[in-house]
Amino acid sequence: MEETTKDLEGVVFSHEEVADGFRFLQIRIDGHLPCARPGQFVQIRPSRTTTTPFLRMPLSVSHVDRVGSTFGVLYDVVGPKTRALSDMNEGDRIDCLGPLGNPFPDVPDDARPVLVGGGIGVPPLLHLGTHLRSTGMDPILIVGARTAGKHLPLELLSPASEHVRLATDDGSLGHHGFVTDLLAQALKEEDKPVVYTCGPHPMMAAVASATESADVRCYSSLEEYMACGFGVCVGCVVERRTQANSPYDQFTRVCVDGPVYDATEIVW
Amino acid sequence: MSDAQQVDLSTRVAGIDLANPVLLASGTCGYGEELEPFLRLAEVGGIITKTITPEPRSGNRPPRIVETPSGMLNAIGLQNPGLEGFVEHKWPFLSTLETKVIVNIAAPTVEQHGEMTARIDALGGVAGIEVNISCPNIREGGVLFGCNPRASADVISTVRRHTKLPVIAKLTPNVTDITEIARSVVDAGADAVSLINTLVGMAVDIEARRPILGNVTGGLSGPAIKPVALAMLWKVRQAVDVPLLGLGGISSTQDALEFLITGASAIQVGTATFVKPGAAADIVAGLGDYCRKAGIARLDDLVGSLKS
Ligand SMILES: Cc1cc2nc3c(=O)[nH]c(=O)nc-3n(C[C@H](O)[C@H](O)[C@H](O)COP(=O)(O)OP(=O)(O)OC[C@H]3O[C@@H](n4cnc5c(N)ncnc54)[C@H](O)[C@@H]3O)c2cc1C
Ligand SMILES: Cc1cc2nc3c(=O)[nH]c(=O)nc-3n(C[C@H](O)[C@H](O)[C@H](O)COP(=O)(O)O)c2cc1C
Ligand code: FES
């Protein structure tokens, strides 16, 4: 398996709608599998022939296939790039740059991983949960969505956890309310929880604040707008909380310094 | 000419010997290191560093980038480690490269340009200095110099006095007459001129009814600006007699050829690197193929071959 980051050419292997607007895309890479670790992402270019959409789009790797040479991404159609991607059919060629960014750090042996995801932030947590289970851990997966139709189907969620807990803003499925309610409950139940989160900014900010007051370690995977995805444009920054030694370090590049941060490092 | 025959892509621009005329544009290749996993830097003619300023800068508040039709807007605000941070942390890697390294500088005052130049000159091994008098995203310096022929000349003559290295002035397109600025920097001692930097632009979020960029306006780059860049290159080509480094939206061999034919002695690949990190190396290979097919032995012979 290749460990290095590459500009790879792949082929659409399968592509299907799995929830309202959400699509599951599997890409086969010729020759070598990019060995993405949980939390890493790829920069995908849906079209090579047009300049609109122009930039690549970062998508978290949600699935890796360790025997073959395919990997999967799950995405919500929200704008021009994701729309262009949704037009791709089996057999179409697709450019993938990656794997990029830093993975989620390892979980201490005696800790209980609690994964908290919302919307387009769920895919990296599926990769993480599946990986943790393969190492013998038993993660809890808390997932929030606006409404029942926006939730990924259970057959995609359950490989990542035997304890999937759902919430919807409108009460149409699972807990009526926010993931933070379910998180608070899990933090009460567990002796040594460690939280891993990815989702909309307000959700992650709430998770960061809840874990900080409970004195629980929390790793957040940020999803900022990106141009290059490998550190040269300095476009994808967020502000660091700690007083930097130099103004140069006030902002950190999510693509290469992240996307996973200890939640207490960031200004939310 | 048969395929086996060697094509000479080398050129000499403002006293800098380049293995080929394809450079990486400032602000789009960092300080080289991050690009190495994707692009062998030795394959390109040279690399131009992200602008450095006398003191470290944090840059603008995000959001800093947004995609636009066939391009993007950026308002990075020159986040950089400052001159000493560059010397300590970035130069050690750059100094090991086989390719030519041009250091791009900007400063809030005319005098500080001189001080920076002296320090960079003393490093030894720098191929040239590109002076960014054209950044649209900072409050002092940058485009404030580059919009005014007098101020542009003051900066360039100050840099000139502090070094024997080739001095390249990087011009902004956000002026009424770019040839006027080009003439003034050449008169002030610039050995070459790079053009163009980004065009000022803006994007609006209609839901929030706010500008998308934290800085409100930003610089437009990418394929969208290529025709503007070519027209400016063509005008400046007729106005001054120094080598020109053309850039603005170059992403393919065809684009590079258009600039070379119009009169650029070398070209710079900018935003295209974000979409395809190997774009510059692909262009180098493409130029070789083009020459072989067209029976051109020296790429340099093509420069400025535009017919009227
Ligand atoms: C590291 C990383 C991993 C990502 N992983 C996934 C993933 O697994 N699945 C997935 O569906 N999306 C993911 N995203 C977000 C995805 O890249 C964007 O949704 C996509 O680029 C939108 O492009 P567009 O042209 O379709 O929409 P645009 O027109 O660019 O945006 C449409 C709407 O989405 C919002 N948006 C745009 N970019 C982002 C972003 N980065 N984060 C949050 N909101 C955004 C915009 O504000 C706007 O409201 C990830 C982003 C990053 C940085
Ligand atoms: C994200 C970004 C950052 C840039 N930073 C700098 C910079 O620090 N100094 C500079 O002289 N030009 C900078 N530029 C301008 C480019 O070097 C180039 O002049 C411009 O983008 C047009 O070329 P392009 O369309 O090929 O990108 C930057 C451009 C972009 C897109
Ligand atoms: S996206 Fe370019 S530096 Fe992060």
Side-chain angles (χ1 to χ4, degrees), chain B residues 25-36:
Chain B
S26 177
T28 61
C29 56
Y31 302 95
E33 222 160 341
E34 292 93 342
L35 247 188
E36 270 275 286

Side-chain angles (χ1 to χ4, degrees), chain B residues 72-116:
Chain B
M72 63 176 281
L73 290 168
N74 90 80
I76 308 298
L78 299 187
Q79 178 173 343
N80 80 92
L83 176 59
E84 290 313 319
F86 168 81
V87 171
E88 193 178 334
H89 301 296
K90 309 295 181 188
W91 178 244
F93 171 80
L94 288 166
S95 64
T96 64
L97 294 179
E98 282 166 48
T99 192
K100 291 291 182 322
V101 179
I102 294 170
V103 177
N104 179 302
I105 63 166
T109 67
V110 173
E111 296 70 37
Q112 281 169 300
H113 285 89
E115 292 155 20
M116 289 187 85

Side-chain angles (χ1 to χ4, degrees), chain A residues 11 23 26 30 58 94 103 115 118 139 190 212 223 229 241 255 261 264 268:
Chain A
V11 172
R23 292 177 154 260
Q26 283 186 288
D30 297 331
I94 186 165
L115 282 43
E190 299 304 323
E212 190 166 2
E223 300 197 334
R241 195 195 285 189
C255 65
Y261 292 90
T264 59
W268 289 98

Side-chain angles (χ1 to χ4, degrees), chain A residues 5-7 43 45 51-56 81 95 97-98 100 224-228 230-239 246-253 256, chain B residues 27-31 34-35 37-38 50 56-62 64-72 76 79-81 90 222-223 271 273-278:
Chain A
T5 311
K6 284 243 176 67
D7 193 354
Q43 278 274 66
R45 180 153 70 145
T51 54
T52 303
F54 174 59
L55 296 171
R56 289 183 187 236
K81 278 178 285 195
D95 290 334
L97 192 71
L100 301 165
E224 290 305 310
Y225 207 101
M226 291 182 177
C228 67
F230 50 91
V232 297
C233 76
V234 212
C236 60
V237 299
V238 294
E239 191 167 5
S246 152
Y248 180 51
D249 298 320
Q250 182 185 347
F251 294 104
T252 154
R253 292 166 302 176
V256 285
Chain B
T28 61
C29 56
Y31 302 95
E34 292 93 342
L35 247 188
F38 309 100
K50 169 85 188 159
R57 286 178 57 93
S58 60
N60 291 326
R61 299 207 75 81
R64 291 178 172 183
I65 46 176
V66 63
E67 175 161 343
T68 55
S70 296
M72 63 176 281
I76 308 298
Q79 178 173 343
N80 80 92
K90 309 295 181 188
T271 304
T273 299
F274 301 163
V275 181
K276 191 128 187 61

Side-chain angles (χ1 to χ4, degrees), chain A residues 118-163:
Chain A
I120 59 170
V122 180
L125 299 179
L126 298 184
H127 189 185
L128 177 65
T130 309
H131 167 76
L132 290 175
R133 287 189 66 198
S134 76
T135 66
M137 291 215 160
D138 188 21
I140 295 170
L141 175 61
I142 298 170
V143 183
R146 275 203 313 282
T147 182
K150 275 279 173 191
H151 263 301
L152 293 171
L154 219 52
E155 61 265 31
L156 280 172
L157 299 177
S158 51
S161 170
E162 284 187 58
H163 318 276

Side-chain angles (χ1 to χ4, degrees), chain A residues 25-67:
Chain A
L25 167 67
Q26 283 186 288
I27 297 171
R28 199 185 66 232
I29 298 291
D30 297 331
H32 38 216
L33 176 73
C35 183
R37 293 166 59 201
Q40 289 192 298
F41 63 96
V42 286
Q43 278 274 66
I44 287 188
R45 180 153 70 145
S47 170
R48 305 165 147 187
T49 46
T50 66
T51 54
T52 303
F54 174 59
L55 296 171
R56 289 183 187 236
M57 105 185 84
L59 293 176
S60 302
V61 173
S62 64
H63 294 78
V64 289
D65 166 7
R66 294 192 181 279
V67 274

